[in-house]
Amino acid sequence: TSHREDYWAQFFIPIAPGGNININMPDYISFVQQYLLALQKQKSLIDSEVTKSLLFSQPFYSVGWANLKWNQFNIAFMNGRVPLYSSYIELIPEKNIAIVVLCNSGTSDGRSVTMKVGHLLRDYYTR
């Protein structure tokens, strides 16, 4: 099933659409590409300055995205999860790459493994 009816987290009805967004992989990749294009100041559906503001306007956490300085790189990242699914994404503007890790487990192990694999990929691609 796509969700569990007895899941402990229940959304407040007016904001439920924002907490229960579903997207297919091609559209998710397109979404991520728009962020990368904007960060490179190329033609994008998202304005470059708006993108920087969304990702990096506040240290550590900015408009839904966490961020950090790692080595010489600025990294914006986000975890996503539902009971049956986990995701982890990193955007690294200086390398013009996004790391997207998906797992069909919403457990703490699923969340943990998506982050660990994301960090391994970051280490590999930023050498």
Side-chain angles (χ1 to χ4, degrees):
T1 62
S2 60
H3 63 87
R4 289 184 8 212
E5 294 296 335
D6 65 341
Y7 183 52
W8 64 269
Q10 300 298 319
F11 293 107
F12 179 56
I13 297 300
I15 64 168
N20 195 17
I21 297 172
N22 298 298
I23 190 168
N24 62 36
M25 286 306 301
D27 289 345
Y28 191 59
I29 291 166
S30 178
F31 166 76
V32 172
Q33 287 173 331
Q34 293 302 311
Y35 270 93
L36 287 175
L37 287 169
L39 288 169
Q40 299 303 316
K41 297 186 178 184
Q42 297 179 21
K43 185 178 179 185
S44 172
L45 296 173
I46 311 167
D47 179 76
S48 181
E49 292 305 313
V50 169
T51 300
K52 281 193 249 177
S53 179
L54 288 171
L55 302 177
F56 299 107
S57 65
Q58 298 295 314
F60 308 112
Y61 189 78
S62 182
V63 194
W65 289 81
N67 61 67
L68 59 89
K69 188 80 166 178
W70 181 80
N71 291 342
Q72 72 271 27
F73 303 107
N74 293 298
I75 297 174
F77 61 98
M78 181 187 328
N79 294 313
R81 75 173 185 93
V82 293
L84 302 173
Y85 178 81
S86 297
S87 66
Y88 180 76
I89 180 171
E90 281 191 6
L91 300 174
I92 308 172
E94 294 84 2
K95 291 294 239 177
N96 193 28
I97 63 170
I99 296 168
V100 179
V101 183
L102 307 169
C103 176
N104 64 345
S105 169
T107 66
S108 59
D109 288 340
R111 290 188 306 276
S112 175
V113 78
T114 58
M115 287 178 52
K116 287 179 183 176
V117 170
H119 294 167
L120 288 170
L121 290 169
R122 177 204 309 163
D123 291 343
Y124 179 80
Y125 286 108
T126 58
R127 281 189 243 187

